[in-house]
Amino acid sequence: MLKNIPAIIPPELLKIMSEMGHGDELVLADGNFPAASHAKRLIRCDALGVVELLEAILQLYPLDTYAERPAAVMQVVEGDQVIPIIWEDYRRLIEEYEGITDAFDHEERFDFYERASRAYVIVATGERAQYANLILKKGVIFPDADPSQQQQNAESNSN
């Protein structure tokens, strides 16, 4: 047991997140996503939803402040009547933990699959909401800086 590590993060995921470097991507996949056939590394968290796992991950995992949008969701397929309200939870958590208000790229379905297949890891969840897949690009941890300072550093470096 360790202090201050969210208990819902399995040891294997903690290890993988520690191994990841700046720019590596982690996919949180919903229960319908073809995770096993697309993953280089697969971690199963079938009893968890994406929102609860995202909140635990964001306590430890910095998002890439150098990327214009450090997260990506799968676009709703044309003609599909789904409204992915789960994205609002993602927005809220990313803003709360990272201070980023416009974090998402919207990837076409097959582009999302291709990007996910290049990710460092795919975490398969039991999430039942449709279009709940989320890609997170890992950032850097700056010495003695809080997330708002990290955002300011990234903005000044991009100018």
Side-chain angles (χ1 to χ4, degrees):
M1 301 275 299
L2 297 171
K3 291 179 169 183
N4 303 317
I5 303 290
I8 68 169
I9 297 180
E12 184 181 10
L13 180 54
L14 189 60
K15 175 189 177 293
I16 292 286
M17 290 189 327
S18 295
E19 291 173 352
M20 293 174 69
H22 181 217
D24 283 337
E25 293 187 327
L26 178 150
V27 179
L28 294 174
D30 65 31
N32 291 307
F33 189 81
S37 64
H38 284 75
K40 288 192 250 181
R41 293 168 193 83
L42 177 64
I43 297 176
R44 300 217 62 101
C45 291
D46 297 290
L48 300 174
V50 173
V51 174
E52 64 186 322
L53 194 53
L54 175 62
E55 184 165 23
I57 287 169
L58 288 175
Q59 293 175 49
L60 307 171
Y61 184 98
L63 294 184
D64 191 349
T65 55
Y66 292 98
E68 186 175 341
R69 292 191 179 84
V73 292
M74 183 187 295
Q75 286 177 353
V76 175
V77 174
E78 189 175 330
D80 200 341
Q81 299 302 308
V82 174
I83 298 172
I85 59 174
I86 197 167
W87 295 354
E88 292 307 314
D89 290 325
Y90 300 168
R91 280 187 185 92
R92 177 183 53 79
L93 288 170
I94 290 171
E95 185 172 358
E96 178 183 336
Y97 284 94
E98 294 291 312
I100 302 169
T101 57
D102 185 20
F104 300 136
D105 278 330
H106 293 79
E107 300 273 350
E108 183 275 332
R109 177 181 168 205
F110 293 105
D111 291 342
F112 190 97
Y113 288 161
E114 179 61 32
R115 185 169 171 185
S117 70
R118 293 188 311 267
Y120 194 85
V121 64
I122 295 177
V123 181
T125 72
E127 181 61 60
R128 297 174 111 182
Q130 288 181 277
Y131 296 97
N133 303 301
L134 179 65
I135 297 175
L136 302 172
K137 184 179 288 289
K138 189 172 185 186
V140 298
I141 297 174
F142 296 94
D144 302 315
D146 64 24
S148 62
Q149 182 62 45
Q150 292 177 20
Q151 181 66 34
Q152 290 173 356
N153 289 344
E155 289 170 2
S156 66
N157 287 335
S158 66
N159 293 331

